[in-house]
Amino acid sequence: MRARLQRSRVAAEWSRLSTQQRAMLCYGAKLRPSSYAELALEEMTDDEREHIRLALVEMKRGLHSLTTTDRTEWRQVAGNCQHHQKTKKEQARTEQQGRLRLDRQIRQLSDKLNAVNAKSPVSSN
């Protein structure tokens, strides 16, 4: 029946998408959304349709792992970023303290070496 009407299920699904949804797929397919989002699939070449199909496959793969759409969870991201920034600051502080300790140890060892050298002068022969 669809063959007689020269329509396919894919073309019908494409036509039901909003322009924004089509534009997202076109962008993922590296096709100019302003040119391709308004086109029917039948107006595109086989390569263009294949690029869109591959973009859809990749998008579905990504959406499979990103399932959370709850607004409160999305708003909590900022709090997690602040925690991440605090962690970075703490790491920097710990690193700085470690450097200060090493500098102190270097000075102490240098002082000890100077004291040893002062007590037993090395002959210049």
Side-chain angles (χ1 to χ4, degrees), residues 12-66:
E13 290 173 354
W14 176 261
S15 66
R16 283 193 297 268
L17 293 176
S18 70
T19 304
Q20 182 181 11
Q21 291 166 332
R22 289 184 194 183
M24 288 187 291
L25 284 169
C26 291
Y27 182 81
K30 295 182 176 64
L31 299 172
R32 181 176 289 149
S34 60
S35 301
Y36 287 88
E38 297 293 331
L39 291 179
L41 280 180
E42 298 91 336
E43 298 174 284
M44 297 180 199
T45 66
D46 286 340
D47 285 341
E48 292 164 345
R49 285 191 297 270
E50 179 63 9
H51 287 299
I52 291 173
R53 186 189 72 78
L54 292 173
L56 178 60
V57 168
E58 188 61 31
M59 186 178 287
K60 286 172 104 176
R61 192 176 298 142
L63 290 174
H64 180 70
S65 60
L66 183 66

Side-chain angles (χ1 to χ4, degrees), residues 66-123:
L66 183 66
T67 58
T68 305
T69 57
D70 183 67
R71 186 170 190 245
T72 56
E73 289 188 54
W74 280 80
R75 294 185 81 190
Q76 289 173 355
V77 171
N80 293 338
C81 288
Q82 290 170 353
H83 170 71
H84 181 67
Q85 289 172 350
K86 285 180 185 177
T87 304
K88 280 186 172 181
K89 287 179 183 178
E90 289 170 4
Q91 286 176 339
R93 193 177 313 117
T94 303
E95 187 175 318
Q96 183 63 26
Q97 289 171 348
R99 286 181 182 164
L100 290 173
R101 255 182 276 139
L102 286 174
D103 286 343
R104 207 174 314 121
Q105 288 175 349
I106 289 169
R107 278 193 306 272
Q108 289 173 348
L109 289 172
S110 181
D111 290 345
K112 286 181 182 180
L113 181 62
N114 289 337
V116 168
N117 286 338
K119 286 182 182 178
S120 58
V122 178
S123 65

